[in-house]
Amino acid sequence: MPYSKFTLEELKKNFNLTFSETLGKFNNLPEVAPSQILQDIFKYYIPLGLAIGSEKAKSEFIIAPILAEIKQREGDGISLFSGLEFNVDVERGLNGFCDFIMSSSPEQLLIEAPVVTLVEAKNDNLKSGLATCIAEMVGAQIFNEREGNEITKIYGAVTNGTNWQFMELESQTVIIDLDEYYLSNLPKILGILSSFF
């Protein structure tokens, strides 16, 4: 069973997870102003991505530039992957393709621990991406433990490009921020993503 096949109920049962729903978990983090380059490309990319309207278009024209901005800001200390297979434990269903993975590693040719953030792109319904993203976060946690990295928190996001919802996994507790963060406040989204590193 790949990441995308899990339900929240199955994750809770299979991995002994506890879900904690909060409002504004990430709301008080400092904002980060977008670079001039990102502002310039978004003048064209956002209308194009929204006009096409597909999940793929929003991933390419809105989400990827935001994540590339984080990588550029953080320098060579992090890596960014898009659409790669991340097979951690096939027997437990922790396998399949992830939309985006960010790692605290300069290695860009392959995924090295520690994996810090996973972003799942969904077309319209953010809630439909929660289970997939949480399954990927559990996979990342196991991957990091196996590699001997003592990363205590894994972060995840589900987005349709314009709305973002963030989560944190520590031990077996998943904190889900019920607030949605909007592309109209891009500095807030950049601030949250930057805080993960």
Side-chain angles (χ1 to χ4, degrees):
M1 172 166 57
Y3 299 116
S4 61
K5 299 298 183 187
F6 278 104
T7 65
L8 291 174
E9 293 79 12
E10 288 168 336
L11 287 167
K12 200 170 186 180
K13 179 182 174 184
N14 294 358
F15 300 102
N16 198 26
L17 297 178
T18 301
F19 296 141
S20 173
E21 301 167 9
T22 64
L23 278 172
K25 160 81 176 157
F26 300 99
N27 199 32
N28 294 324
L29 295 169
E31 296 183 355
V32 172
S35 67
Q36 190 60 53
I37 292 171
L38 186 61
Q39 292 177 56
D40 290 343
I41 64 170
F42 266 3
K43 287 177 188 172
Y44 183 71
Y45 277 22
I46 289 176
L48 181 60
L50 295 177
I52 296 170
S54 69
E55 190 175 294
K56 187 172 189 296
K58 291 175 186 175
S59 285
E60 293 170 345
F61 294 114
I62 301 173
I63 301 166
I66 289 172
L67 299 179
E69 171 94 348
I70 299 300
K71 177 170 173 36
Q72 187 273 329
R73 285 181 176 278
E74 299 300 320
D76 293 332
I78 69 171
S79 51
L80 169 63
F81 302 95
S82 174
L84 285 187
E85 203 166 14
F86 188 51
N87 295 330
V88 176
D89 190 335
V90 176
E91 289 181 12
R92 297 174 76 190
L94 300 175
N95 61 286
F97 290 88
C98 297
D99 289 335
F100 296 97
I101 297 175
M102 298 187 85
S103 171
S104 288
S105 166
E107 180 65 56
Q108 192 60 64
L109 295 177
L110 54 98
I111 300 171
E112 284 192 344
V115 172
V116 178
T117 307
L118 300 104
V119 177
E120 179 67 21
K122 283 291 151 203
N123 203 20
D124 289 315
N125 185 352
L126 295 188
K127 190 173 180 183
S128 70
L130 287 178
T132 301
C133 191
I134 292 168
E136 293 170 358
M137 293 165 71
V138 170
Q141 186 180 59
I142 292 169
F143 177 82
N144 288 344
E145 288 169 0
R146 189 183 302 150
E147 296 295 321
N149 288 283
E150 297 179 10
I151 299 298
T152 59
K153 295 180 182 178
I154 306 292
Y155 297 96
V158 179
T159 180
N160 62 7
T162 56
N163 300 19
W164 292 67
Q165 190 170 12
F166 296 97
M167 295 163 282
E168 174 186 290
L169 170 63
E170 184 171 16
S171 186
Q172 291 172 291
T173 300
V174 181
I175 299 172
I176 302 168
D177 190 342
L178 297 177
D179 273 347
E180 291 183 16
Y181 299 87
Y182 301 102
L183 188 60
S184 57
N185 190 357
L186 180 57
K188 175 60 73 178
I189 293 169
L190 291 173
I192 293 169
L193 290 168
S194 293
S195 76
F196 297 164
F197 295 94

